[in-house]
Amino acid sequence: PCPPSAGQRTMAGANRVQVRIVAPSDAGNHSMVFTMPTDAPLERLFDAWRRHHGLAKDTARFSVGYGEVTGEETPLALGIAAIIPEHLVGVTPLNHERTFEEEFVVRALPKRRLTEESVTAEAAPVPRSKSVRRRNQLVVESSDG
């Protein structure tokens, strides 16, 4: 078998990659660096980050570059899709010595919440209707026919 590329560590046969999660705050960007197997689902990373910050699962979304990523995706899949540099996950050979800067960045952002006003403004006009209860059934009659 071929040895791992220069600088890539192998643990029980799995390549590992460094991931920096950056979250904006009023005091500036807050970042944390994690090391994870290239074939592990990102959800493990996201869960660890949320636990560290005491956040519920539905409070944050994560993006790489300009696209949102899901917890089912892996660093290896992102490398194969060229969303992150391929050499970070061993898809292409590394032609130089790896440095500490060899990581990819995930942005943690608050989940978008639709306000009542935006939902009302985006909703299509609903035709007027009249409802009548007949023998334990609710019958809705529309004014537009």
Side-chain angles (χ1 to χ4, degrees), residues 18-139:
Q18 280 189 262
V19 184
R20 179 178 300 271
I21 296 187
V22 179
S25 73
D26 294 337
N29 286 336
H30 178 267
S31 69
M32 293 180 68
V33 178
F34 296 85
T35 301
M36 66 181 293
T38 58
D39 60 351
L42 289 170
E43 191 61 37
R44 287 175 44 188
L45 173 76
F46 301 161
D47 284 344
W49 184 85
R50 286 187 291 251
R51 271 194 315 274
H52 176 80
H53 292 287
L55 298 172
K57 186 171 185 156
D58 63 346
T59 58
R61 59 191 169 94
F62 300 89
S63 66
V64 174
Y66 296 105
E68 206 160 307
V69 290
T70 66
E72 293 85 33
E73 293 174 288
T74 66
L76 182 60
L78 297 178
I80 291 170
I83 295 170
I84 65 172
E86 295 121 344
H87 72 272
L88 292 180
V89 293
V91 175
T92 57
L94 182 64
N95 294 328
H96 63 280
E97 186 64 32
R98 179 172 280 203
T99 67
F100 70 93
E101 296 170 355
E102 300 277 342
E103 63 191 19
F104 72 94
V105 175
V106 174
R107 303 224 17 112
L109 302 163
K111 277 228 174 148
R112 294 183 186 124
R113 301 240 187 253
L114 291 176
T115 63
E116 192 173 318
E117 292 173 3
S118 67
V119 171
T120 304
E122 293 174 5
V126 177
R128 293 183 160 251
S129 63
K130 173 174 82 169
S131 61
V132 179
R133 185 167 292 281
R134 293 187 192 147
R135 290 190 214 169
N136 294 332
Q137 289 184 329
L138 185 63
V139 178

Side-chain angles (χ1 to χ4, degrees), residues 4-18 35-36 98:
S5 300
Q8 280 187 319
R9 292 178 299 237
T10 304
M11 179 176 274
N15 288 334
R16 300 180 69 76
V17 64
Q18 280 189 262
T35 301
M36 66 181 293
R98 179 172 280 203

